[in-house]
Amino acid sequence: METANRSISLRLFADSSLIPLVQGAIEQAASVFGMSHQRVLKLVMAGEEIISYLAQTAHGGEVQITITHGGWCVIVDFSFEAAPSDLWIINLAAQKKANSGQEVEHLGLLLASRMMDRFTVRLKGRKVHLELRLDYEYLVLQPKLVRPKMLRGPLTIVDNPEPALIKEACAAVVNQYPPYLVHTAFFTPGKTVDMVAGGYLDMIVAVDEQGQLAGMLSWRAPSQNSISFSGPYIFAEGDDVARKLEMHLLKRVGRGNAESLFSDLATAQLVSENFESLGQIEFLQEDEQSIQMAVWFRLLRDDAGGAVWAHHDIVEFLEKKYSDLCLMRTIRQVDAAGESLPERSVFSTRLRPELKEATFVPMVVGVDVSESIARQVAALREDDYRNIFFHIDLASGWQAAMGGALLENGFVPRILLPKGGKSDVVVFQYA
Amino acid sequence: MRNLDFQKLVPAYVQGFESYQPSKPDPELMKAYGVDHLHRLNNNENALGPPPEVSTIVEKFPVKNVPVYPSGDCFYLRQKLAAFYGKTPDRFLIGNGSCEVISSVIKAFCEEGDNIITADQTFAVYEWVAEFSGFEARLIPLKNNRFDHRAMLDAMDENTKILFVCNPNNPTGTYWDTETMEAFLDEVDNRAIVVIDEAYFEYVEKEDYPDGMTLMERYPNVIVFRTFSKMYALAALRIGYLCGTADIVELVSRAHIVYSVNTLAQEAAVAALSNDGTFIRETLDMVGEAKKLLCGLFEERKLEYVCNEGNYLMVKVPLPDTLMYRMLMRKGIMVRTMTTFRFPNWIRVSLVQRPVMEAFCKAFVEVLDNR
Ligand SMILES: Cc1ncc(COP(=O)(O)O)c(C=O)c1O
């Protein structure tokens, strides 16, 4: 995303006397970036929560705040350098040993996240980034009943659909698919247009001879070496729309950076011979109804085999997956062997409040790992989070080692994402 | 001292470029896939090996020549090529594989803002070199698996410096006949360089297949690429060349690294050209027989396939090509996945001796039946 010329930064010390300065900066910047007053206030409140949290836990430390116009959203990023022993403060439910020996809990970060569309905590080198993202207000589509169209003449795939076509495609998806299969952006076509324009989302559509919309497929690159897609969405009867869209997607990404392609939201029209099944993930919706989401994938490159790390309790799970997928891996077991570990664990987090979904990735695994998992899950449960995931990259022995602690705390390995990270990634779900 | 922030030093077009990942050495792959043999059907190598004249050179290569630099401009090889084609030595430029001369041609002719034109589904190196050097590669979709001459001409503008025509095309094996090629060159009308990559020249026996070496005498903007990696089976030695007018060759050589071709490769190439052509006949017979066998199987299985010129063919499989690759590797067969060639779910198979082709057919059928 090209944002360098649309961002404003300030550098300050974490101190409660500076809270008004931060509030003012966020308010002014977000207003200049055209955000509605009501939303600006939400950002200001969340920003206040974070800076006062930092003023308590990291008092006096240098903090850089960057407020960016992200096309369809405003992002406020708080970054600071933390010594490894201080990283615990970025956990959602952090505990600090107070002087008295009592432990003090902090929930400031979780509070801040409630009002946001996305809240991310991550470590980049020695810098911690706390990122608030609030999207602009866009018109929200309500589903309408439509009759499937009949197609005429040969299909064409449109590579860079113009805004009108993008909006039409969003409406068609919302009208013809159950909400859980609709990428949240499609409910707000204006946002989708901005996301496509900003290069955050790619979209292709299929049209017939008369320009009637026949189908759509969209994708994005969540990491350097993987791509995930939603669709194929098919709006008209007639054969081969799905196949054509998928082939086109594969041609577009086949010579690029990505090693693997995953489904974000796979519809029933997906042509199974183009993909490999990874199984299903269960999501709990707001109404407590559960949804089984099929996950599909394929590699875009030849796999040369390799070694992965695993905790002994998930070896069986992995062996079965690798054998089903015909993936050659040497599984090396890592188990806690009494080596000295850092005192505290640190997890990076991505929260999607509207879906009540939380995804953790370990950054530091310490002696308190099991406790730390329990504490953070409890905090999320209290906040009504229903879909809690942990991603473990099997490239790292220290990450793989926490498999045991996850099992102890009610997580189960659900899905293996081959080349989903540096190496294969196991998705654990809190059950 | 400052910290090194090398990212800041890297141009955007290199930052955005993905480095090519060559496959691992065979022993590593065999270990990973748990097999005790590996048939290489992925790189269009000539499995019969080089002509006998080459064996003598390779086996008797004197250690005393190892510390000595090679001839910087491949003196004797250029003389040999000159005699072979009836041209003068100054019309040839030798490279460390023809891949190296692709790079030299682009460096010699393109500057900022320029573009090259080629196809979307062809040998990738033209596109890669252009892009990581910061030049636009205009990729014209194939039409019926052939280079689309009309669309290529339409894509030309005043910044077009080079058109790359892979004839026959890797991986579809299609070619432009003499009439099409001449009409194309007439319309280009010397506005840009036309590179005709004839890496698989020796595999084509068709009457109407144009010989770039002849055409260039009438069209001075033509540069022909040939290689010793394919028919002549010298892939390990890395040697290929280009031929053009003396003026063009002199120009390209300014952007070309001297001493990039080693002594053994130069001597082996001279020896290869000394063969009377009998090994070419043997290779063609082997390829012809393999085509018959494989196409028969694909017909029987009602699979879409593309088999034209060259020592390779392509078949579309009803599963991801990358999964097909893994399943075949488990059976000791290595094919080329075609997703990176923008042919998703196709595999390309090099055509080799009958027993290996039979092993391929058996493994292929087993994979299809067990999926
Ligand atoms: C069309 C084409 N041109 C050039 C080359 C490169 O050959 P060399 O080994 O001479 O670099 C190949 C090799 O695959 C090829 O297929």
Side-chain angles (χ1 to χ4, degrees), chain B residues 226-242:
Chain B
R226 300 255 175 114
T227 180
F228 288 99
S229 303
K230 304 299 175 185
M231 176 60 86
Y232 291 101
L234 303 187
L237 301 180
R238 305 299 299 126
I239 181 162
Y241 57 98
L242 64 73

PDB file of all heavy atoms in Angstrom, chain B residues 226-242:
ATOM      1  N   ARG B 226      20.845 -19.937 -30.234  1.00  0.00           N
ATOM      2  CA  ARG B 226      20.903 -21.403 -30.243  1.00  0.00           C
ATOM      3  C   ARG B 226      21.623 -21.847 -28.979  1.00  0.00           C
ATOM      4  O   ARG B 226      22.332 -21.060 -28.343  1.00  0.00           O
ATOM      5  CB  ARG B 226      21.659 -21.919 -31.471  1.00  0.00           C
ATOM      6  CG  ARG B 226      21.031 -21.517 -32.804  1.00  0.00           C
ATOM      7  CD  ARG B 226      20.313 -22.671 -33.460  1.00  0.00           C
ATOM      8  NE  ARG B 226      19.624 -22.235 -34.676  1.00  0.00           N
ATOM      9  CZ  ARG B 226      19.939 -22.634 -35.922  1.00  0.00           C
ATOM     10  NH1 ARG B 226      20.937 -23.484 -36.119  1.00  0.00           N
ATOM     11  NH2 ARG B 226      19.242 -22.211 -36.958  1.00  0.00           N
ATOM     12  N   THR B 227      21.470 -23.096 -28.656  1.00  0.00           N
ATOM     13  CA  THR B 227      22.105 -23.577 -27.424  1.00  0.00           C
ATOM     14  C   THR B 227      22.693 -24.964 -27.621  1.00  0.00           C
ATOM     15  O   THR B 227      22.241 -25.731 -28.483  1.00  0.00           O
ATOM     16  CB  THR B 227      21.097 -23.601 -26.257  1.00  0.00           C
ATOM     17  OG1 THR B 227      21.767 -24.083 -25.087  1.00  0.00           O
ATOM     18  CG2 THR B 227      19.912 -24.515 -26.538  1.00  0.00           C
ATOM     19  N   PHE B 228      23.697 -25.273 -26.822  1.00  0.00           N
ATOM     20  CA  PHE B 228      24.234 -26.640 -26.791  1.00  0.00           C
ATOM     21  C   PHE B 228      23.594 -27.472 -25.671  1.00  0.00           C
ATOM     22  O   PHE B 228      23.967 -28.611 -25.459  1.00  0.00           O
ATOM     23  CB  PHE B 228      25.767 -26.608 -26.609  1.00  0.00           C
ATOM     24  CG  PHE B 228      26.495 -26.147 -27.832  1.00  0.00           C
ATOM     25  CD1 PHE B 228      26.936 -24.834 -27.947  1.00  0.00           C
ATOM     26  CD2 PHE B 228      26.731 -27.028 -28.894  1.00  0.00           C
ATOM     27  CE1 PHE B 228      27.607 -24.403 -29.091  1.00  0.00           C
ATOM     28  CE2 PHE B 228      27.391 -26.592 -30.038  1.00  0.00           C
ATOM     29  CZ  PHE B 228      27.828 -25.282 -30.141  1.00  0.00           C
ATOM     30  N   SER B 229      22.645 -26.865 -24.951  1.00  0.00           N
ATOM     31  CA  SER B 229      22.059 -27.554 -23.793  1.00  0.00           C
ATOM     32  C   SER B 229      21.033 -28.606 -24.172  1.00  0.00           C
ATOM     33  O   SER B 229      20.778 -29.517 -23.401  1.00  0.00           O
ATOM     34  CB  SER B 229      21.341 -26.563 -22.885  1.00  0.00           C
ATOM     35  OG  SER B 229      22.198 -25.544 -22.470  1.00  0.00           O
ATOM     36  N   LYS B 230      20.400 -28.433 -25.321  1.00  0.00           N
ATOM     37  CA  LYS B 230      19.259 -29.292 -25.619  1.00  0.00           C
ATOM     38  C   LYS B 230      19.694 -30.480 -26.478  1.00  0.00           C
ATOM     39  O   LYS B 230      20.110 -31.484 -25.954  1.00  0.00           O
ATOM     40  CB  LYS B 230      18.158 -28.457 -26.280  1.00  0.00           C
ATOM     41  CG  LYS B 230      17.741 -27.251 -25.441  1.00  0.00           C
ATOM     42  CD  LYS B 230      17.183 -27.652 -24.079  1.00  0.00           C
ATOM     43  CE  LYS B 230      16.894 -26.428 -23.218  1.00  0.00           C
ATOM     44  NZ  LYS B 230      16.468 -26.792 -21.863  1.00  0.00           N
ATOM     45  N   MET B 231      19.630 -30.357 -27.782  1.00  0.00           N
ATOM     46  CA  MET B 231      20.005 -31.491 -28.625  1.00  0.00           C
ATOM     47  C   MET B 231      21.432 -31.978 -28.337  1.00  0.00           C
ATOM     48  O   MET B 231      21.690 -33.169 -28.216  1.00  0.00           O
ATOM     49  CB  MET B 231      19.878 -31.094 -30.104  1.00  0.00           C
ATOM     50  CG  MET B 231      20.334 -32.165 -31.068  1.00  0.00           C
ATOM     51  SD  MET B 231      19.405 -33.709 -30.903  1.00  0.00           S
ATOM     52  CE  MET B 231      17.998 -33.401 -31.968  1.00  0.00           C
ATOM     53  N   TYR B 232      22.367 -31.054 -28.179  1.00  0.00           N
ATOM     54  CA  TYR B 232      23.772 -31.460 -28.037  1.00  0.00           C
ATOM     55  C   TYR B 232      24.121 -31.959 -26.637  1.00  0.00           C
ATOM     56  O   TYR B 232      25.247 -32.382 -26.384  1.00  0.00           O
ATOM     57  CB  TYR B 232      24.708 -30.323 -28.459  1.00  0.00           C
ATOM     58  CG  TYR B 232      24.653 -30.056 -29.943  1.00  0.00           C
ATOM     59  CD1 TYR B 232      23.925 -28.986 -30.456  1.00  0.00           C
ATOM     60  CD2 TYR B 232      25.307 -30.902 -30.841  1.00  0.00           C
ATOM     61  CE1 TYR B 232      23.853 -28.757 -31.818  1.00  0.00           C
ATOM     62  CE2 TYR B 232      25.242 -30.673 -32.207  1.00  0.00           C
ATOM     63  CZ  TYR B 232      24.514 -29.604 -32.693  1.00  0.00           C
ATOM     64  OH  TYR B 232      24.453 -29.383 -34.047  1.00  0.00           O
ATOM     65  N   ALA B 233      23.187 -31.854 -25.722  1.00  0.00           N
ATOM     66  CA  ALA B 233      23.312 -32.482 -24.406  1.00  0.00           C
ATOM     67  C   ALA B 233      24.520 -31.995 -23.596  1.00  0.00           C
ATOM     68  O   ALA B 233      25.175 -32.765 -22.905  1.00  0.00           O
ATOM     69  CB  ALA B 233      23.334 -34.011 -24.546  1.00  0.00           C
ATOM     70  N   LEU B 234      24.822 -30.703 -23.699  1.00  0.00           N
ATOM     71  CA  LEU B 234      25.931 -30.158 -22.902  1.00  0.00           C
ATOM     72  C   LEU B 234      25.420 -29.268 -21.760  1.00  0.00           C
ATOM     73  O   LEU B 234      26.128 -28.346 -21.324  1.00  0.00           O
ATOM     74  CB  LEU B 234      26.876 -29.331 -23.790  1.00  0.00           C
ATOM     75  CG  LEU B 234      27.509 -30.013 -25.005  1.00  0.00           C
ATOM     76  CD1 LEU B 234      28.533 -29.064 -25.651  1.00  0.00           C
ATOM     77  CD2 LEU B 234      28.187 -31.321 -24.615  1.00  0.00           C
ATOM     78  N   ALA B 235      24.215 -29.536 -21.280  1.00  0.00           N
ATOM     79  CA  ALA B 235      23.582 -28.622 -20.312  1.00  0.00           C
ATOM     80  C   ALA B 235      24.466 -28.348 -19.095  1.00  0.00           C
ATOM     81  O   ALA B 235      24.515 -27.221 -18.597  1.00  0.00           O
ATOM     82  CB  ALA B 235      22.226 -29.167 -19.880  1.00  0.00           C
ATOM     83  N   ALA B 236      25.180 -29.352 -18.631  1.00  0.00           N
ATOM     84  CA  ALA B 236      26.000 -29.158 -17.431  1.00  0.00           C
ATOM     85  C   ALA B 236      27.145 -28.186 -17.674  1.00  0.00           C
ATOM     86  O   ALA B 236      27.658 -27.570 -16.740  1.00  0.00           O
ATOM     87  CB  ALA B 236      26.560 -30.495 -16.960  1.00  0.00           C
ATOM     88  N   LEU B 237      27.560 -28.039 -18.934  1.00  0.00           N
ATOM     89  CA  LEU B 237      28.701 -27.167 -19.230  1.00  0.00           C
ATOM     90  C   LEU B 237      28.282 -25.718 -19.449  1.00  0.00           C
ATOM     91  O   LEU B 237      29.117 -24.830 -19.476  1.00  0.00           O
ATOM     92  CB  LEU B 237      29.456 -27.696 -20.451  1.00  0.00           C
ATOM     93  CG  LEU B 237      30.001 -29.118 -20.308  1.00  0.00           C
ATOM     94  CD1 LEU B 237      30.738 -29.536 -21.570  1.00  0.00           C
ATOM     95  CD2 LEU B 237      30.931 -29.217 -19.105  1.00  0.00           C
ATOM     96  N   ARG B 238      26.987 -25.465 -19.602  1.00  0.00           N
ATOM     97  CA  ARG B 238      26.430 -24.128 -19.797  1.00  0.00           C
ATOM     98  C   ARG B 238      27.069 -23.406 -20.977  1.00  0.00           C
ATOM     99  O   ARG B 238      28.008 -22.624 -20.833  1.00  0.00           O
ATOM    100  CB  ARG B 238      26.594 -23.260 -18.530  1.00  0.00           C
ATOM    101  CG  ARG B 238      26.029 -23.833 -17.265  1.00  0.00           C
ATOM    102  CD  ARG B 238      24.525 -24.075 -17.337  1.00  0.00           C
ATOM    103  NE  ARG B 238      23.760 -22.867 -17.569  1.00  0.00           N
ATOM    104  CZ  ARG B 238      22.867 -22.732 -18.564  1.00  0.00           C
ATOM    105  NH1 ARG B 238      22.626 -23.730 -19.404  1.00  0.00           N
ATOM    106  NH2 ARG B 238      22.200 -21.622 -18.702  1.00  0.00           N
ATOM    107  N   ILE B 239      26.568 -23.673 -22.161  1.00  0.00           N
ATOM    108  CA  ILE B 239      27.078 -22.957 -23.321  1.00  0.00           C
ATOM    109  C   ILE B 239      25.995 -22.803 -24.381  1.00  0.00           C
ATOM    110  O   ILE B 239      25.274 -23.744 -24.704  1.00  0.00           O
ATOM    111  CB  ILE B 239      28.373 -23.628 -23.875  1.00  0.00           C
ATOM    112  CG1 ILE B 239      28.909 -22.860 -25.087  1.00  0.00           C
ATOM    113  CG2 ILE B 239      28.177 -25.097 -24.202  1.00  0.00           C
ATOM    114  CD1 ILE B 239      30.370 -23.171 -25.413  1.00  0.00           C
ATOM    115  N   GLY B 240      25.841 -21.574 -24.861  1.00  0.00           N
ATOM    116  CA  GLY B 240      24.878 -21.248 -25.904  1.00  0.00           C
ATOM    117  C   GLY B 240      25.408 -20.030 -26.641  1.00  0.00           C
ATOM    118  O   GLY B 240      26.439 -19.483 -26.256  1.00  0.00           O
ATOM    119  N   TYR B 241      24.707 -19.600 -27.683  1.00  0.00           N
ATOM    120  CA  TYR B 241      25.258 -18.466 -28.436  1.00  0.00           C
ATOM    121  C   TYR B 241      24.179 -17.719 -29.184  1.00  0.00           C
ATOM    122  O   TYR B 241      23.041 -18.183 -29.327  1.00  0.00           O
ATOM    123  CB  TYR B 241      26.325 -18.945 -29.421  1.00  0.00           C
ATOM    124  CG  TYR B 241      25.853 -20.000 -30.409  1.00  0.00           C
ATOM    125  CD1 TYR B 241      25.462 -19.667 -31.704  1.00  0.00           C
ATOM    126  CD2 TYR B 241      25.818 -21.340 -30.045  1.00  0.00           C
ATOM    127  CE1 TYR B 241      25.037 -20.627 -32.598  1.00  0.00           C
ATOM    128  CE2 TYR B 241      25.385 -22.318 -30.932  1.00  0.00           C
ATOM    129  CZ  TYR B 241      24.998 -21.955 -32.204  1.00  0.00           C
ATOM    130  OH  TYR B 241      24.565 -22.919 -33.087  1.00  0.00           O
ATOM    131  N   LEU B 242      24.577 -16.541 -29.671  1.00  0.00           N
ATOM    132  CA  LEU B 242      23.694 -15.820 -30.576  1.00  0.00           C
ATOM    133  C   LEU B 242      24.448 -15.538 -31.860  1.00  0.00           C
ATOM    134  O   LEU B 242      25.685 -15.557 -31.910  1.00  0.00           O
ATOM    135  CB  LEU B 242      23.170 -14.526 -29.940  1.00  0.00           C
ATOM    136  CG  LEU B 242      24.118 -13.392 -29.582  1.00  0.00           C
ATOM    137  CD1 LEU B 242      24.629 -12.637 -30.794  1.00  0.00           C
ATOM    138  CD2 LEU B 242      23.392 -12.409 -28.676  1.00  0.00           C
TER     139      LEU B 242
END
